[in-house]
Amino acid sequence: MNEKQTILKINNLHAEYVNPQNKEEKTPILHGINIEIKEGEIHAIMGPNGSGKSTLSSVIMGHPHYNVTEGEILFFSEKENKLVDILSMPAFERARLGLFLSFQYPAAVPGLSVSHFLRSVLKTMRNQDIPLKEFRKEISDKMQELKMDPEFARRYLNDGFSGGEKKRMEILQMSLIQPKMAILDEIDSGLDIDALKIVSEGINNLVDDKKSYLLITHYKRLLDYVKADNVHVLAKGKIIKQGGYDLIDALEEKGYDDIIKEAG
Ligand SMILES: Nc1ncnc2c1ncn2[C@@H]1O[C@H](COP(=O)(O)OP(=O)(O)OP(=O)(O)O)[C@@H](O)[C@H]1O
Ligand SMILES: [Mg+2]
């Protein structure tokens, strides 16, 4: 049997936040993260508020406000058929390699319609124009799957969207792009019970042995729908514990304090 291909490899990653108003002001946040994700694997990151989960996802995606001070991030390039260093690439190049991030707090863009936005994203990703008729069919099929009102396509991106509607918007984007590796930052926050099911189904529909996920969540309920095979606990910018699905039960039972104490 063939060895599974590694998709994302993070080695000894240290990163800081750089205040864009005063570039001298730097706050170290990540202190030596190691994660390896292979194709088809679903990983979860859990950890207390402020431990660095969103920062890690922003750094992987190449957000310009964060600076990597040590370590590396490698991603599998299909074209080169090997892991490549992505740290010097801008976010859109990382996206073209197959990396996708859904934001914890998606930004509203008044004036830009959902349909316009998605069409231009797909154009960039596929590097070719998509005929309007084809695009309309694609988007309306996906919206139906996610039980989204077709009216959404005409609304301005995330403008006045409820918390749950924003999250569905992120999944819609993901299901159109079909990324190789999706990082979903608290995709379950603010979702009602039915929406959680719909969003989880949306994720599960995209799970296959080639696609990988990094799910950031505070709750076991998402991971009951989308089963994670690997769980990482992040605290104060470090992975303090790694394990399988069982670790989630231990976390729910004991809480972070005990796990952090145990880890020393
Ligand atoms: N843009 C920023 N400006 C100022 N501080 C930041 C910024 N980004 C991250 N930090 C700081 O880095 C730490 C980690 O924040 P981060 O958002 O990564 O935490 P998190 O684990 O995602 O938390 P939560 O569970 O609340 O979403 C926090 O102390 C936060 O204040
Ligand atoms: Mg966060």
Side-chain angles (χ1 to χ4, degrees), residues 38 58 61 65 81 101 121 194 204 235:
K38 296 189 170 172
S58 295
M61 206 60 220
H65 293 171
N81 196 29
L101 168 65
V121 167
D194 293 346
N204 274 330

Side-chain angles (χ1 to χ4, degrees), residues 8 13 20 23 33 65 84-85 101 107 110 120 122 124 126 136-137 184 187 193-194 221 236 256:
L8 178 72
L13 181 72
K23 298 244 158 77
I33 306 274
H65 293 171
V84 296
D85 182 351
L101 168 65
S120 67
L122 283 185
T124 310
R126 296 178 188 168
R136 283 214 177 113
K137 164 100 179 79
L184 306 178
I187 198 70
I193 298 161
D194 293 346
R221 45 177 206 188
K236 296 194 179 132
Y256 288 122

Side-chain angles (χ1 to χ4, degrees), residues 15-254:
E16 59 190 13
Y17 168 67
V18 184
N19 183 346
Q21 261 93 47
N22 173 10
K23 298 244 158 77
E24 295 307 304
E25 194 189 310
K26 296 167 179 168
T27 316
I29 299 172
L30 303 178
H31 308 284
I33 306 274
N34 294 295
I35 295 179
E36 179 171 1
I37 302 180
K38 296 189 170 172
E39 60 187 7
E41 287 181 351
I42 300 175
H43 288 235
I45 295 191
M46 302 181 86
N49 294 131
S51 53
K53 303 178 299 296
S54 295
T55 300
L56 175 62
S57 51
S58 295
V59 171
I60 297 173
M61 206 60 220
H63 193 297
H65 293 171
Y66 300 90
N67 210 357
V68 171
T69 50
E70 210 183 319
E72 56 183 3
I73 305 180
L74 307 171
F75 194 79
F76 181 70
S77 157
E78 234 151 67
K79 211 163 98 194
E80 298 188 44
N81 196 29
K82 63 172 189 191
L83 288 168
V84 296
D85 182 351
I86 59 170
L87 281 182
S88 58
M89 294 180 189
F92 81 91
E93 266 181 47
R94 300 183 196 203
R96 272 201 185 148
L97 283 180
L99 198 51
F100 173 86
L101 168 65
S102 88
F103 293 102
Q104 183 174 3
Y105 304 109
V109 190
L112 176 65
S113 76
V114 164
S115 148
H116 207 99
F117 167 72
L118 290 176
R119 193 160 169 228
S120 67
V121 167
L122 283 185
K123 238 189 212 167
T124 310
M125 294 297 302
R126 296 178 188 168
N127 220 351
Q128 64 182 45
D129 204 7
I130 304 149
L132 192 57
K133 216 172 138 192
E134 224 172 83
F135 171 72
R136 283 214 177 113
K137 164 100 179 79
E138 213 176 323
I139 188 176
S140 84
D141 288 353
K142 297 283 187 220
M143 286 178 90
Q144 220 167 359
E145 268 173 39
L146 292 167
K147 303 204 166 55
M148 289 172 87
D149 184 339
E151 185 55 35
F152 263 92
R154 281 185 285 275
R155 282 180 65 176
Y156 290 148
L157 184 63
N158 290 321
D159 192 25
F161 284 22
S162 76
E165 287 165 350
K166 283 185 185 169
K167 299 290 167 166
R168 255 184 255 203
M169 178 63 218
E170 298 288 297
I171 295 295
L172 173 63
Q173 202 182 323
M174 177 178 85
S175 63
L176 285 166
I177 295 175
Q178 302 254 337
K180 205 150 61 191
M181 155 108 232
I183 304 169
L184 306 178
D185 192 357
E186 295 199 23
I187 198 70
D188 51 345
S189 75
L191 292 181
D192 66 42
I193 298 161
D194 293 346
L196 179 66
K197 222 169 149 184
I198 292 164
V199 163
S200 309
E201 274 165 14
I203 299 171
N204 274 330
N205 282 342
L206 295 174
V207 170
D208 66 30
D209 58 0
K210 291 285 172 209
K211 295 196 179 71
S212 315
Y213 286 91
L214 184 58
L215 306 174
I216 297 172
T217 182
H218 286 294
Y219 306 105
K220 182 174 180 281
R221 45 177 206 188
L222 173 71
L223 304 169
D224 284 337
Y225 286 112
V226 185
K227 205 116 196 198
D229 0 70
N230 290 279
V231 179
H232 310 259
V233 181
L234 190 65
K236 296 194 179 132
K238 281 186 183 158
I239 306 258
I240 55 151
K241 203 170 170 84
Q242 257 177 301
Y245 184 80
D246 302 347
L247 182 52
I248 303 164
D249 286 325
L251 275 175
E252 291 247 319
E253 205 180 298
K254 294 184 178 173

